[in-house]
Amino acid sequence: MPTKTLLIPTTDGQADAFAAFPDDGERHPGVLMYADGFGIRPVLREMARELAGYGYYVLVPNFFYRHGPAPLVDLPEHIGEEARTALIARLMPLLEAHTEERVRSDADAYLRFLTTRPEVAAGPVAVTGYCIGGLLATRTAAAHPGQVAALAAFHAPVGAAGPDTLAKITAQVHFGHAESDLTPEALDELNRSLDAAKVDYTSEIYPGTVHGFTMSDTDAFDPAGLRRHWDRLLPLLRRAL
């Protein structure tokens, strides 16, 4: 599986990024994948490679590039709860500085770069993301309704996007929520907003999961949750792309 480390030109500099794609000389649909707050690291590279193996060009940008290349902080091989708390404290100021204006500007640059890669087929693309990356993916899909045909977000605070943002989405959508992140009442409220916006979506709580369940390098990892994630993501991409 070919992989590359790339630099994406943006209005504020160059964002480092990881890309994986099939080694068959063909052009494949593009997928923009947003990492969680811990950023690009071995588990994200492995997930990108796995998704690429199903026939996609997968681009994972470092959305904290304004502060330096990934990884911005030293990450342990396994992020336990104590390490997670300390890391979040260091990363929170960067998350707070990543304004909606920056998200939109970066999304323009990421999609422009993705769709002009020689390995990427013409046509619509997908965006997917984890944790805060799921919120970035949601905002990206809303800002590019004619270009993004599929949106998937996992254990992500997608409700923070707000009804006005959700109403702009024309992509087919799947939201996979951690049981610890969302009450059934909050899920109903989110789904009512999606219904009101006439979004083509599935939105469900994954039973027995906690925030971060897709990430195998954390205490939150849930193998059944990760399998369910692939079982939802891959059919969505096949339908939309």
Side-chain angles (χ1 to χ4, degrees), residues 1-3 18-22 33 41-56 58 60 230:
M1 181 69 62
T3 62
F18 176 80
F21 49 93
M33 177 185 285
R41 59 195 192 280
V43 67
L44 261 297
R45 294 187 183 95
E46 180 54 36
M47 293 177 77
R49 283 192 291 266
E50 183 166 353
L51 182 54
Y54 290 99
Y56 301 99
V58 184
V60 189
W230 288 118

Side-chain angles (χ1 to χ4, degrees), residues 8 15-18 32-35 40 59-64 110:
I8 304 174
D16 50 305
F18 176 80
L32 177 62
M33 177 185 285
Y34 286 105
I40 302 172
L59 179 68
V60 189
N62 168 27
F63 53 82
F64 286 147
Y110 300 156

Side-chain angles (χ1 to χ4, degrees), residues 166-186:
L166 296 176
K168 297 174 183 176
I169 294 172
T170 60
Q172 297 181 49
V173 173
H174 176 71
F175 291 150
H177 310 285
E179 190 170 24
S180 66
D181 281 348
L182 206 64
T183 65
E185 293 76 18

Side-chain angles (χ1 to χ4, degrees), residues 155-216:
H155 47 84
V158 293
D164 291 344
T165 295
L166 296 176
K168 297 174 183 176
I169 294 172
T170 60
Q172 297 181 49
V173 173
H174 176 71
F175 291 150
H177 310 285
E179 190 170 24
S180 66
D181 281 348
L182 206 64
T183 65
E185 293 76 18
L187 177 65
D188 288 343
E189 182 179 351
L190 172 64
N191 291 352
R192 283 196 298 270
S193 295
L194 294 166
D195 288 334
K198 296 181 169 56
V199 175
D200 181 1
Y201 76 95
T202 57
S203 174
E204 60 181 329
I205 292 173
Y206 288 21
T209 58
V210 297
H211 182 74
F213 62 81
T214 61
M215 298 294 145
S216 63

Side-chain angles (χ1 to χ4, degrees), residues 27-195:
R27 301 175 72 190
H28 296 274
V31 179
L32 177 62
M33 177 185 285
Y34 286 105
D36 61 1
F38 298 130
I40 302 172
R41 59 195 192 280
V43 67
L44 261 297
R45 294 187 183 95
E46 180 54 36
M47 293 177 77
R49 283 192 291 266
E50 183 166 353
L51 182 54
Y54 290 99
Y56 301 99
Y57 183 105
V58 184
L59 179 68
V60 189
N62 168 27
F63 53 82
F64 286 147
Y65 68 90
R66 292 174 180 83
H67 307 279
L72 286 179
V73 295
D74 291 331
L75 295 171
E77 185 174 336
H78 181 83
I79 303 171
E81 189 56 36
E82 183 176 342
R84 179 183 183 278
T85 300
L87 289 167
I88 290 295
R90 294 180 62 185
L91 292 169
M92 189 55 67
L94 308 187
L95 291 168
E96 293 172 346
H98 201 59
T99 62
E100 288 190 42
E101 182 180 358
R102 284 185 173 184
V103 173
R104 288 193 297 271
S105 176
D106 287 349
D108 291 347
Y110 300 156
L111 290 176
R112 184 166 54 248
F113 184 85
L114 174 63
T115 55
T116 56
R117 302 306 300 166
E119 304 90 351
V120 175
V125 300
V127 293
T128 185
Y130 305 88
C131 185
I132 188 64
L135 178 58
L136 303 185
T138 301
R139 288 177 169 157
T140 297
H144 296 268
Q147 189 173 22
V148 176
L151 160 65
F154 302 92
H155 47 84
V158 293
D164 291 344
T165 295
L166 296 176
K168 297 174 183 176
I169 294 172
T170 60
Q172 297 181 49
V173 173
H174 176 71
F175 291 150
H177 310 285
E179 190 170 24
S180 66
D181 281 348
L182 206 64
T183 65
E185 293 76 18
L187 177 65
D188 288 343
E189 182 179 351
L190 172 64
N191 291 352
R192 283 196 298 270
S193 295
L194 294 166
D195 288 334

